[in-house]
Every structure is written in structure tokens, then in C-alpha cells.
């Protein structure tokens, strides 16, 4: 979107990655005392103080998206569009539950522990499939050479189809019998 995404990524990195309190610094530079407006040069100076030097095209993006006719930027709207805080009206789902009285809290902790342990075990089992699960994933054997008698070598693996009518054995040298 006309250069906004890379600029947004740089500003988000400033706030989230380097933990700069950008909103507080922009509010401190707000000449209108909470008007939500800051002079473009002031905003650029605040960003430059933290190592974010804005190019002319980036300033043009900020002017186009957040500027007004007086050369000021709507920094509150910019802050909202950076998406570094929860949106207005957001409620933490965890805060929607009432605190349980003591005996029930203990029971809840035990049940949650059991569910977490079961989930961990399911993850382990999914990462290490059983032989029956692996059998369905095996490709059909294609023999690299036919056995015509003579020295075969050591048989290292074997298998059969589901009906048991066909058996296949392989050697360490890549021969299939």
C-alpha cells in the first residue's frame, strides 16, 4: 500500500522489538496538549532520536495517511494503525471467568493439568507415528534388480502387502527379492 507496509514494519520494530515508548514521546511533543496532533518535523525528530530516519517518500506516506492541511500529523491515528496494542473494546477472554472458590480452584488446576498432559502426549504420538500408520504411508516397492540366483547378500528388510499374497525383501546392496 504505497510504502506504508515497510514503514509500519520499521515503526512496529521500534515499539515492539526495541521497546521504545513511542506514544509517550509523541504525546510529550504534542503542542496542543492532548489534541492528538504533532508537527511533522517534531514526529520526524522523535523517530530520528531512536535511529529511524524517515526518507522523503516515507514522510509523503505519513502526510498522505495521517497529515492535515496545517502540516501536522494525527499521531493517535498512526499509533492505532501500528496495531501494537489491543483494539478498543477488546476484552481478555481469561478475564471473563469468575474466580472460583478454593476447593473448586484446586479441582480446576488438577483437571487443567490432566488436559495439558494429555495434549502433550497426543503431540508426542503425532510426531512418532505407529507402525500401522507408517505402513499406509510407504510407497509401493519398485525393485531395482531381479534376483536370478547366486550371492544375494544379507537381507535387511522385508514386507508384505495387506492380503499377505506378496512378500518383498531387500538387501543392503539395494537388491529387491
Amino acid at each position: 500500500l504505497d510504502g506504508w507496509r515497510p514503514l509500519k514494519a520499521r515503526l512496529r520494530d521500534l515499539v515492539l522489538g526495541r521497546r521504545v515508548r513511542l506514544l509517550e514521546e509523541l504525546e510529550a511533543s504534542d503542542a496542543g496538549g492532548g489534541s492528538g496532533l504533532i508537527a511533522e518535523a517534531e514526529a520526524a525528530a522523535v523517530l530520528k532520536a531512536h535511529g529511524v530516519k524517515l526518507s522523503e517518500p516515507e514522510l509523503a506516506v505519513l502526510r498522505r495517511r495521517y497529515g492535515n492541511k496545517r502540516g501536522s500529523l494525527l499521531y493517535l491515528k498512526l499509533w492505532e494503525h501500528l496495531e501494537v496494542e489491543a483494539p478498543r473494546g477488546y476484552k481478555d477472554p481469561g478475564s471473563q471467568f469468575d474466580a472460583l472458590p478454593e476447593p473448586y480452584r484446586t479441582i480446576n488446576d488438577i483437571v487443567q493439568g490432566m488436559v495439558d498432559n494429555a495434549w502433550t502426549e497426543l503431540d508426542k504420538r503425532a510426531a512418532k507415528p505407529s507402525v500401522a500408520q507408517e505402513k499406509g504411508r510407504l510407497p509401493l516397492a519398485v525393485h531395482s534388480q531381479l534376483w536370478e540366483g547366486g550371492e544375494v547378500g544379507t537381507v535387511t528388510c522385508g514386507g508384505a502387502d495387506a492380503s499377505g499374497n506378496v512378500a518383498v525383501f531387500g538387501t543392503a546392496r539395494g537388491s529387491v527379492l
Side-chain angles (χ1 to χ4, degrees):
L1 299 177
D2 66 352
W4 167 240
R5 285 189 181 153
L7 178 58
K8 178 181 177 181
R10 285 178 60 203
L11 296 177
R12 283 177 55 91
D13 179 58
L14 180 70
V15 173
L16 298 174
R18 296 182 12 208
R19 303 272 189 219
V20 172
R21 297 178 179 259
L22 185 60
L23 181 60
E24 291 176 11
E25 292 193 28
L26 292 173
E27 285 174 338
S29 299
D30 184 351
S35 65
L37 295 171
I38 187 172
E40 183 182 304
E42 279 290 318
V46 167
L47 293 172
K48 187 176 181 180
H50 293 288
V52 178
K53 186 171 182 334
L54 297 175
S55 65
E56 190 54 43
E58 289 173 327
L59 280 171
V61 168
L62 287 178
R63 272 187 222 111
R64 192 169 37 253
R65 293 179 70 103
Y66 306 106
N68 66 8
K69 294 178 183 178
R70 296 182 187 149
S72 296
L73 296 176
L74 300 164
Y75 70 85
L76 292 177
K77 186 175 178 185
L78 168 66
W79 180 256
E80 186 178 314
H81 287 175
L82 287 180
E83 299 171 338
V84 293
E85 292 181 341
R88 274 186 253 144
Y90 173 79
K91 291 185 180 177
D92 180 19
S95 69
Q96 302 299 312
F97 297 104
D98 293 331
L100 295 171
E102 180 44 47
Y104 299 107
R105 232 186 351 238
T106 304
I107 293 169
N108 186 44
D109 290 343
I110 292 170
V111 170
Q112 287 297 325
M114 291 169 57
V115 169
D116 290 342
N117 291 340
W119 194 263
T120 303
E121 184 63 30
L122 288 173
D123 283 342
K124 286 180 188 175
R125 288 184 184 186
K128 192 175 183 181
S130 69
V131 173
Q133 291 169 329
E134 281 294 323
K135 186 177 177 184
R137 297 181 193 169
L138 292 175
L140 293 175
V142 177
H143 49 272
S144 58
Q145 76 184 75
L146 293 174
W147 179 55
E148 295 180 10
E151 180 79 21
V152 177
T154 305
V155 175
T156 57
C157 64
D161 68 345
S163 66
N165 294 332
V166 178
V168 179
F169 299 94
T171 67
R173 287 188 255 157
S175 300
V176 178
L177 310 172

